[in-house]
Amino acid sequence: MPNVLAVAEQADGARFNRAAPGSDVRSSLLGRFREVRSFSLRLCETLSPEDYVVQSMPDVSPTKWHLAHTSWFFETFVLKVWMPRYRSEIPQYAYLFNSYYNAAGDMHRRDLRGLISRPTVAETFRFRTSIDQSVCELLENADDSLLAEIEPVLVLGLHHEQQHQELLVTDIKHVFAQNPLYPVFREAKEGEKAEVAAPHFVEFDEVTALIGHEGEDFSYDNEEPRHRELVPAFSLASRPITNGEYLAFIEADGYARSEFWLSLGWTTVNEQHWQAPLYWEKRDGKWWNFTLSGFRPINESEPVTHVSHFEADAYANWVGARLPTEFEWEHAANGLPMEGNFVDEERFHPRAAPPASGANGLQQMFGDVWEWTRSAYLPYPGYRVAPGALGEYNGKFMSNQMVLRGGSCATSQSHIRRTYRNFFQPEKRWQFTGIRLARDLA
Ligand SMILES: [Fe+2]
């Protein structure tokens, strides 16, 4: 059983959506809950039962596990806390579907998730349905003060599910990429052959920038406290690096020239025998890549993706630039509309930059590809981990990871923010990760 008091305590300290005064909190929560939960199922529409079970590497979780784990989250942190008569139908699921919350009990090994053939896919769907019914019943019957208590954790659960929707997409891509039949997750959408204009660098004066989230709308705790950062004058590329531009780095022997690489990156390149981004393959002298729409020739206009931080950094060194800091990125994104190629479009692949537009000329800051920064994932000044199991959500990962910004073609539009801090170890490549360059302005 979770520590109920600790969960409630976390809810007090967290920052979440608050419905506007006078609005119908109940119907808003119910609608949002049903919408997010049903999108997870929509993502699975083209999958067969066999697809749901494969774990192609330790970082990847089977689709079935994502569907069950996100349900476990609502069971553990909502139903067991606020529905006194709730009883798990199968209590052992708590061990199988806890991910990393030590305060919520023991858990199954992450790297062995692909060995779990039971519960079956059908049983997993039944688990989801029963959780959905119980959560909806709880929300329908809660009085206003109980709703106010539940709301912050329920909203956190919905953002958690959206994070897992992104992982579900990137994980099934890795699973399908292992299959020589190259299964198609979704047919490609047309209109992706556009020529893109050469990038330019947008200049920013030195500023003491306010960094981090403030306000009543939802954010994770790692985006706070809002604080000041000195950001010296810099310039930022107007769009991410394309496949064609990255190809030039490959053809210039970039993967064989140690002078561009961080030491750990150089070790990794040699140990892993990297010669190109993940999912790229050279056939008869031409580069192809595996996409969620099958195996296709490289489109040189699209943003390069599935590169590690090491590759992004080496590319930047090769062209005499650098990666932006997360503070530069956040400052530059100030005032930009939250528009882009998100998972909502169901394209599941980055798109070539459209003709230049926008106030400061920056394009594709949101959506398409996560942008590696040169910032280590660290707590902001004054950050404190919240007590209880949900305090394990972000803070305990602030070691040996780099920050990424902006979201990708697998991120939900309603999930991303200008202040959102994603984080991965620098060698990871299976997320939709890309490169935007920055420069110092002396
Ligand atoms: Fe999770």
Side-chain angles (χ1 to χ4, degrees):
M1 278 290 290
N3 180 336
V4 173
L5 281 177
V7 170
E9 213 175 342
Q10 155 69 11
D12 278 350
R15 279 65 66 174
F16 303 98
N17 276 331
R18 293 279 169 212
S23 70
D24 188 337
V25 177
R26 188 187 321 278
S27 64
S28 152
L29 280 180
L30 276 165
R32 186 95 179 98
F33 180 77
R34 291 185 177 119
E35 181 190 346
V36 172
R37 293 286 281 173
S38 65
F39 190 65
S40 297
L41 304 187
R42 180 175 171 82
L43 288 173
C44 299
E45 275 176 0
T46 56
L47 301 183
S48 297
E50 291 81 357
D51 300 325
Y52 284 80
V53 189
V54 180
Q55 181 174 32
S56 49
M57 65 166 171
D59 286 327
V60 161
S61 295
T63 303
K64 187 178 71 175
W65 188 89
H66 287 299
L67 296 177
H69 163 71
T70 47
S71 305
W72 166 87
F73 192 98
F74 287 110
E75 180 184 62
T76 303
F77 298 121
V78 175
L79 296 177
K80 287 182 176 177
V81 177
W82 285 294
M83 204 174 195
R85 61 186 173 74
Y86 179 82
R87 294 289 177 274
S88 302
E89 276 178 49
I90 303 173
Q92 296 92 328
Y93 282 4
Y95 177 78
L96 279 182
F97 301 126
N98 180 2
S99 52
Y100 56 67
Y101 299 88
N102 292 311
D106 292 338
M107 65 210 73
H108 186 60
R109 267 176 57 177
R110 177 184 177 143
D111 58 333
L112 300 183
R113 288 172 186 165
L115 302 181
I116 305 303
S117 60
R118 307 297 174 96
T120 63
V121 173
E123 286 164 344
T124 303
F125 276 100
R126 277 202 290 281
F127 176 50
R128 273 186 80 84
T129 303
S130 78
I131 296 294
D132 286 349
Q133 286 170 345
S134 293
V135 170
C136 288
E137 189 189 324
L138 174 64
L139 295 178
E140 278 157 4
N141 295 317
D143 61 25
D144 286 353
S145 75
L146 184 57
L147 267 184
E149 265 188 66
I150 296 170
E151 183 189 0
V153 181
L154 192 91
V155 171
L156 176 66
L158 295 175
H159 282 276
H160 172 255
E161 179 129 2
Q162 288 181 310
Q163 281 187 290
H164 278 277
Q165 287 166 356
E166 173 148 11
L167 291 169
L168 189 156
V169 169
T170 53
D171 289 359
I172 201 67
K173 181 170 184 177
H174 195 267
V175 168
F176 278 3
Q178 314 312 310
N179 188 332
L181 296 177
Y182 295 130
V184 169
F185 179 71
R186 291 289 195 281
E187 295 296 338
K189 296 196 176 183
E190 294 306 315
E192 298 184 353
K193 295 287 182 192
E195 289 286 313
V196 296
H200 62 277
F201 279 79
V202 182
E203 299 190 353
F204 294 86
D205 293 334
E206 177 172 305
V207 66
T208 300
L210 278 169
I211 297 296
H213 183 266
E214 189 178 58
E216 288 295 296
D217 53 335
F218 177 86
S219 77
Y220 288 118
D221 60 355
N222 62 7
E223 297 163 61
E224 296 189 8
R226 189 166 164 89
H227 65 285
R228 289 188 299 275
E229 291 282 347
L230 176 65
V231 179
F234 71 103
S235 63
L236 190 65
S238 55
R239 60 160 173 77
I241 295 303
T242 62
N243 285 329
E245 289 156 352
Y246 196 81
L247 201 47
F249 172 66
I250 296 173
E251 288 171 352
D253 273 340
Y255 279 84
R257 295 172 63 181
S258 62
E259 65 265 35
F260 303 129
W261 295 82
L262 291 164
S263 173
L264 198 53
W266 184 241
T267 302
T268 309
V269 162
N270 287 294
E271 282 179 356
Q272 302 294 322
H273 306 291
W274 287 349
Q275 297 186 319
L278 181 63
Y279 303 131
W280 283 40
E281 198 175 313
K282 203 170 196 178
R283 287 197 180 173
D284 301 326
K286 291 218 160 77
W287 285 103
W288 291 59
N289 66 341
F290 178 70
T291 74
L292 281 165
S293 303
F295 196 58
R296 299 193 304 189
I298 292 290
N299 179 339
E300 294 196 12
S301 301
E302 292 167 355
V304 67
T305 188
H306 299 300
V307 288
S308 63
H309 178 269
F310 294 139
E311 289 160 297
D313 180 76
Y315 177 87
N317 289 331
W318 176 66
V319 295
R322 61 169 173 81
L323 300 179
T325 68
E326 64 167 320
F327 308 127
E328 289 169 341
W329 194 100
E330 186 170 320
H331 173 62
N334 201 2
L336 294 182
M338 189 55 60
E339 294 169 357
N341 170 25
F342 297 108
V343 74
D344 311 61
E345 284 194 33
E346 301 191 41
R347 197 176 277 272
F348 303 107
H349 197 69
R351 188 172 52 192
S357 63
N360 60 8
L362 294 176
Q363 293 183 286
Q364 297 178 297
M365 288 286 278
F366 298 107
D368 287 298
V369 289
W370 286 102
E371 299 177 11
W372 284 109
T373 72
R374 64 176 359 191
S375 298
Y377 177 50
L378 293 170
Y380 285 167
Y383 172 81
R384 279 183 302 148
V385 174
L390 288 174
E392 296 183 54
Y393 202 109
N394 281 314
K396 70 181 186 181
F397 300 107
M398 290 172 174
S399 169
N400 295 334
Q401 311 215 42
M402 303 302 288
V403 173
L404 301 102
R405 293 298 195 119
S408 80
C409 57
T411 309
S412 285
Q413 185 165 16
S414 62
H415 181 66
I416 193 71
R417 290 170 296 286
R418 185 172 68 92
T419 58
Y420 193 109
R421 308 173 77 200
N422 197 1
F423 49 92
F424 279 99
Q425 290 96 349
E427 75 279 11
K428 301 301 185 195
R429 309 205 292 176
W430 94 111
Q431 298 302 298
F432 285 98
T433 45
I435 308 168
R436 184 185 298 268
L437 299 178
R439 288 200 168 111
D440 296 322
L441 287 180

